Amino acid sequence: MQNTRFARFGMVCSVDHLATGAGIAMLDRGGSAADAAIATNAVLTVTAPHMCGLGGDLFALVHDGEVSALNASGRAGSGADPGRLRAEGHTRMPHHDDIRSVPVPGCVDGWATLHARYGRLPLDLVLAPAIRLAEDGFPVSPLLAPGAQAVAALPGGSDFEGVRAAGDLMRRPGVARALRAVAGKGRDGFYLGEFGEGLLELGAGEYTRDDLERPAADWVEPLRVRAFGHDVWSTPANTQGYLLLLSLGILDGLRLPASTERSAWAHLLAEAARAAGYDRLDLLHEDADGLVTDEEIARRRAMIDPAGRMRVPSRTADGDTTYLCAVDGDGMGVSLIQSNAAGFGSMLFEPRTGINLHNRGIGFSLTPGHPAEYGPGRRPPHTLAPALITRPDGSLRSVVGTMGGDAQPQILLQVITRLLGYGESPGAAIAAPRWRLSGGETGFDTWQTPAETVVEVEAGTRWADGLAALGHPVAERPYGGGFGHAHLIDVRADGVLAGAADPRSQIGAALGR
């Protein structure tokens, strides 16, 4: 079991110890939690291209006396044409190898916007650790190594050619140039520089220069729900953060068993997640509103039967990500999530810098007239859902999040329930066995057939037989990354920070000062 780490003057948690160390270095230099989060994320864009990168999107929650939410998700290019995709026979957005599933990446705009409001250190200093690793090289992690050869032969994938095993040295000179451009000229150095020119070239009409000039980051109103005596916050549409909040609101009104080892515990949480999410494909789009209300929580809670699996109503009409969190000595907390969507994303590389591009466009619909239909300037529905928890007096309690595609709200539901409802330590809550709902092969299609979702449980739990007896289709899976890499920093009442990085990530680290 992963131990809880303790600190007094700041803490950073991420999936990679090199990235966590960069964040701590910013705190040591007097930087804010936002500086630490950006530095940590920047290193991850170098060392973890199978999870995140400059070619992906970003969302963040910040507590600095009050809670703010940042949406740095990109928009489809001006050339987006859903009719052409339908004419080619597509009924869903292409998953790989198609530039049309690549909205303009929002990551760098997210850094610039977050730094402008909350940064204390110069941006070039914040990005320096990532630039050094990209230029001088870094040892490949055991998570990156298995997939490196699969992308090495792709156009633009030459950075990965020499990687054979974990520990091999890898350099990313194009990424280093892109980071230096951001350090020197801000967002314009990236979107209107070498990367932007290459994206226009690769897009061949999908994007215009105006698309790249338009900032992708906005401060938006966060969502919240009261659960277990705390306020839990997440990001609004176009993210699926509302699913976490609906699930917690539903669960808060149910009678939970005394032990998390009982099948009834997993059953009630899984049913809360199913009640919250069965109609996500119909409801979630960038302009969706009113998704979390007391009335809606009550309506969905009434669907749940403690004695058996519910039949969800008909619909009305593994993915890879990285999560990190930071808290500084002044109490600012940042909960940040950044993603390529599926693994290396679209399996396309911007040709000049070798930056792999996300495929968040898979969230768009190709149904004519659907509110999430693919189209120029539109943002797709996102699976990303960072979380932040405050006490009733408004003070920061926790920053928490996970990767995991459609399962992100389900993983956070379990972690937060353990933390707040059962008083488990961060280390215990993060390392505990998990379940997830699965409905397909990609990790992004759970809600295509919501009545047929399977409850997958990590091997070694005591839930499987009991869940099957309650009517759930159940499958056991190995303990590992398929159940998310969650990280958590808890701020105790005495000011001590208690954090944990997920042991499933193998090289993750929670470090403090």
Side-chain angles (χ1 to χ4, degrees):
M1 178 175 291
Q2 176 80 358
N3 291 327
T4 301
R5 309 297 183 189
F6 298 96
R8 181 64 184 88
F9 301 108
M11 179 171 278
V12 179
C13 295
S14 85
V15 72
D16 187 331
H17 62 99
L18 295 174
T20 299
I24 289 293
M26 296 305 113
L27 296 181
D28 285 340
R29 288 175 174 263
S32 67
D35 292 319
I38 295 167
T40 302
N41 189 193
V43 169
L44 289 169
T45 67
V46 176
T47 64
H50 56 301
M51 295 182 180
C52 67
L54 296 167
D57 280 350
L58 180 154
F59 294 87
L61 294 165
V62 181
H63 184 280
D64 188 28
E66 59 183 24
V67 180
S68 301
L70 178 64
N71 180 338
S73 61
R75 301 176 183 275
S78 295
D81 184 351
R84 185 175 63 169
L85 279 166
R86 289 191 287 263
E88 293 172 7
H90 295 280
T91 57
R92 298 171 63 181
M93 293 295 291
H95 203 76
H96 287 140
D97 304 314
D98 196 311
I99 197 65
R100 294 169 292 188
S101 289
V102 184
V104 176
C107 173
V108 171
D109 267 328
W111 290 351
T113 303
L114 182 62
H115 185 263
R117 179 179 286 194
Y118 294 109
R120 296 177 192 155
L121 300 175
L123 189 57
D124 59 348
L125 180 60
V126 172
L127 298 181
I131 293 170
R132 183 179 66 252
L133 289 167
E135 289 181 339
D136 298 340
F138 61 92
V140 169
S141 78
L143 296 178
L144 171 58
Q149 283 304 300
V151 297
L154 297 176
S158 59
D159 287 355
F160 302 87
E161 287 178 351
V163 176
R164 297 290 182 272
D168 287 350
L169 194 65
M170 181 176 176
R171 293 182 175 84
R172 306 196 68 197
V175 175
R177 294 195 306 273
L179 288 168
R180 284 198 178 278
V182 176
K185 298 181 180 179
R187 62 94 56 200
D188 286 354
F190 182 74
Y191 293 101
L192 305 183
E194 184 181 17
F195 172 85
E197 292 299 324
L199 188 63
L200 290 173
E201 175 186 322
L202 184 65
E206 180 72 6
Y207 320 101
T208 66
R209 186 175 175 85
D210 286 346
D211 295 331
L212 304 185
E213 290 177 345
R214 178 183 184 180
D218 304 297
W219 292 106
V220 295
E221 189 69 24
L223 300 179
R224 69 171 171 174
V225 74
R226 177 61 63 93
F228 302 112
H230 291 73
D231 287 322
V232 183
W233 303 75
S234 193
T235 45
N238 54 323
T239 81
Q240 64 172 351
Y242 84 98
L243 292 186
L244 169 64
L245 304 188
L246 275 181
S247 300
L248 282 167
I250 291 168
L251 200 66
D252 193 54
L254 299 177
R255 184 175 180 179
L256 297 178
S259 172
T260 60
E261 294 188 0
R262 294 185 58 185
S263 300
W265 184 84
H267 166 70
L268 289 175
L269 269 70
E271 291 296 85
R274 292 179 68 230
Y278 72 90
D279 54 357
R280 192 198 77 183
L281 296 184
D282 298 313
L283 296 184
L284 183 57
H285 56 90
E286 62 179 320
D287 299 317
D289 195 14
L291 297 176
V292 182
T293 65
D294 291 343
E295 294 76 16
E296 193 61 16
I297 289 170
R299 183 183 74 81
R300 293 174 188 254
R301 185 188 295 137
M303 296 164 57
I304 294 176
D305 179 0
R309 177 181 169 98
M310 67 180 169
R311 175 176 291 182
V312 296
S314 299
R315 287 170 45 197
T316 59
D318 241 322
D320 281 309
T321 296
T322 192
Y323 173 79
L324 61 99
C325 48
V327 176
D328 63 30
D330 295 325
M332 180 191 294
V334 176
S335 180
L336 186 151
I337 194 162
Q338 206 258 303
S339 177
N340 293 331
F344 287 92
S346 63
M347 306 299 278
L348 299 174
F349 291 77
E350 185 278 302
R352 302 191 184 192
T353 62
I355 292 171
N356 51 303
L357 302 171
H358 67 164
N359 60 338
R360 275 293 161 193
I362 60 175
F364 284 122
S365 173
L366 286 180
T367 301
H370 191 285
E373 185 181 10
Y374 170 60
R378 306 213 62 199
R379 281 174 163 157
H382 257 267
T383 58
L384 302 183
L388 187 149
I389 304 169
T390 55
R391 295 181 173 87
D393 64 2
S395 63
L396 178 64
R397 168 67 195 267
S398 308
V399 281
V400 59
T402 185
M403 53 86 83
D406 283 345
Q408 284 185 35
Q410 301 152 35
I411 295 166
L412 290 179
L413 175 66
Q414 296 166 75
V415 171
I416 292 171
T417 299
R418 288 179 179 277
L419 179 76
L420 300 182
Y422 289 80
E424 294 187 11
S425 70
I430 291 292
R434 298 176 187 150
W435 55 265
R436 68 178 182 187
L437 300 177
S438 175
E441 299 178 355
T442 69
F444 296 89
D445 45 14
T446 303
W447 304 113
Q448 290 289 334
T449 52
E452 300 171 14
T453 54
V454 174
V455 183
E456 296 185 348
V457 299
E458 286 186 303
T461 69
R462 300 181 180 181
W463 303 326
D465 290 345
L467 286 171
L470 289 166
H472 293 279
V474 180
E476 286 197 81
R477 303 293 185 222
Y479 181 96
F483 290 86
H485 298 156
H487 310 300
L488 165 66
I489 300 174
D490 201 36
V491 184
R492 300 193 329 191
D494 61 3
V496 171
L497 305 176
D502 204 313
R504 296 165 183 82
S505 68
Q506 302 183 51
I507 59 168
L511 299 177
R513 61 188 294 273

